[in-house]
Amino acid sequence: MKTFANYMIAMFMVMFWGFRVVVAYMAGNGKSFMVAPIDLTIEIILLFITLVCIVLFIKRKVFGGFLYLASNFGYYGVYLYNSVMPIIKGNQVSVTNSFNAFIALVAVILSIVVLMDLLTDKTKKPVDKQTEWFYANEDLDRKLDERADKNQYKTL
């Protein structure tokens, strides 16, 4: 983790994972909560996949970003599409359905941001301690005349 943005994205991933753990726990106990999981079994599997993806994100592995994107698009993307279509068609929309759609939108946006962060990290140019203009430019070297004094005088 190199920048403040990396830490913030990782923190938001952990917070969203914790929120989904609470959602799965409440649905597993049969209690009502503001958000309901789409499928409890797949939700629990996705929680474990997300935990692995968080570790891979902290280690800055691009595979973790692709896995996180694919799992979130496969689970939340389909639900988001099915939630938005009644709004587009003009059908009746409930508050719980729209809040679930909002949470699905947050999950999709988070997965895109995670992958973008990992990919931009790989495209950054490494910091070079030796500056190019000093070490790689022969045009700026001093040309010595054959009559020049080449002695290295040292004072004591």
Side-chain angles (χ1 to χ4, degrees):
M1 305 263 277
K2 298 177 182 178
T3 63
F4 181 69
N6 299 139
Y7 285 108
M8 292 304 293
I9 292 171
M11 189 88 63
F12 196 68
M13 285 174 73
V14 170
M15 288 185 339
F16 189 75
W17 179 80
F19 175 72
R20 294 311 293 187
V21 166
V22 170
V23 169
Y25 176 75
M26 295 297 270
N29 286 339
K31 298 177 183 176
S32 66
F33 193 61
M34 60 184 154
V35 180
I38 303 164
D39 185 9
L40 187 60
T41 308
I42 296 175
E43 180 88 23
I44 292 170
I45 294 169
L46 187 66
L47 286 173
F48 286 110
I49 291 172
T50 303
L51 193 61
V52 171
C53 291
I54 289 171
V55 171
L56 290 173
F57 176 77
I58 291 172
K59 290 185 175 187
R60 310 301 295 158
K61 304 292 182 187
V62 178
F63 175 71
F66 278 115
L67 181 64
Y68 192 64
L69 180 76
S71 61
N72 277 352
F73 261 93
Y75 185 70
Y76 297 112
V78 173
Y79 183 75
L80 181 64
Y81 177 77
N82 291 337
S83 298
V84 170
M85 288 312 289
I87 297 171
I88 292 173
K89 292 180 181 176
N91 296 342
Q92 184 71 17
V93 178
S94 66
V95 175
T96 57
N97 187 22
S98 47
F99 195 68
N100 283 340
F102 174 72
I103 296 299
L105 179 68
V106 168
V108 168
I109 290 173
L110 179 63
S111 62
I112 292 171
V113 168
V114 165
L115 186 64
M116 284 175 44
D117 184 51
L118 288 173
L119 290 177
T120 56
D121 193 39
K122 296 295 181 189
T123 59
K124 290 180 183 174
K125 186 177 179 182
V127 178
D128 188 15
K129 301 255 186 221
Q130 299 176 343
T131 54
E132 184 178 324
W133 64 270
F134 186 78
Y135 290 101
N137 197 349
E138 299 292 328
D139 297 338
L140 297 177
D141 287 347
R142 182 183 290 182
K143 305 286 189 255
L144 292 177
D145 193 15
E146 66 272 353
R147 298 172 290 159
D149 188 10
K150 295 179 181 65
N151 290 331
Q152 298 291 328
Y153 297 107
K154 295 181 182 177
T155 60
L156 297 174

